[in-house]
Structure formats: C-alpha cells, structure tokens
Amino acid sequence: HISLWEGMPLGILEAFACGKPAVANNVIGNRDAVRHGVTGFLGDTDEEVVQSLARLIGDTGLRREMGRAARTEAEDRFSVQRVARDLKALYLE
C-alpha cells in the first residue's frame, strides 16, 4: 500500500481480514492501522518498502506469524461490531 496519504486504508484492513500482513508507506492512516513489525511493515522510502516485501517473501514463518497477528487485529480493532460500538459511544458523548 504505497499511497502518499491515506484516510482509512481499506486495502490494508481487507488484507488483515484475510490473514495477510501489510507493507505500506509510513503515512497517516497506514501507520494508524499497521503495527510495524507486528502486523506488517511501514517504510519511509521506496527501498525500505522493497526490503520489507523481500523479507516477507523470503520468510514463511514471519509471514504466517504476522498474518495471524493481522487477522487478530482486524477482528479486535476493525470489525463491524467494534466500529459500530465505538461510533455509538462517540455519538452518545
């Protein structure tokens, strides 16, 4: 996910829901979703993004571990139920 800015990175959230780690530019939105080194990698340069992709491609264990963490993150932070509950609480304030 290499956008220059992002409000809500739906592509990242969809990848997480499928149990896939993300590699993304370190911009607002992306860094709100991706926990660097846990659910994927954030890069400040094109080279960092490419290195992170290569690392995930070359390390099946890391890819699976981050994929599991990404899936858990999707379920815990970004599920429809969680977002609806948080929005309701916000509106009730």
Side-chain angles (χ1 to χ4, degrees), residues 4-47:
L4 298 177
W5 63 271
E6 187 62 51
M8 176 56 76
L10 295 179
I12 289 174
L13 302 184
E14 291 169 347
F16 283 3
C18 292
K20 305 297 181 191
V23 176
N25 280 345
N26 187 14
V27 297
I28 293 172
N30 291 349
R31 74 174 152 252
D32 295 324
V34 178
R35 290 191 297 139
H36 182 74
V38 177
T39 61
F41 293 111
L42 296 166
D44 291 315
T45 65
D46 292 344
E47 292 80 19

Side-chain angles (χ1 to χ4, degrees), residues 9-86:
L10 295 179
I12 289 174
L13 302 184
E14 291 169 347
F16 283 3
C18 292
K20 305 297 181 191
V23 176
N25 280 345
N26 187 14
V27 297
I28 293 172
N30 291 349
R31 74 174 152 252
D32 295 324
V34 178
R35 290 191 297 139
H36 182 74
V38 177
T39 61
F41 293 111
L42 296 166
D44 291 315
T45 65
D46 292 344
E47 292 80 19
E48 288 179 2
V49 170
V50 170
Q51 288 171 356
S52 295
L53 284 169
R55 184 173 174 195
L56 283 174
I57 290 167
D59 189 335
T60 303
L62 178 64
R63 192 171 59 247
R64 287 182 180 153
E65 178 183 331
M66 286 185 152
R68 282 190 294 273
R71 173 71 183 203
T72 299
E73 193 85 353
E75 293 169 352
D76 292 348
R77 290 184 57 208
F78 302 110
S79 69
V80 171
Q81 295 81 8
R82 168 74 187 267
V83 172
R85 185 184 73 232
D86 290 353

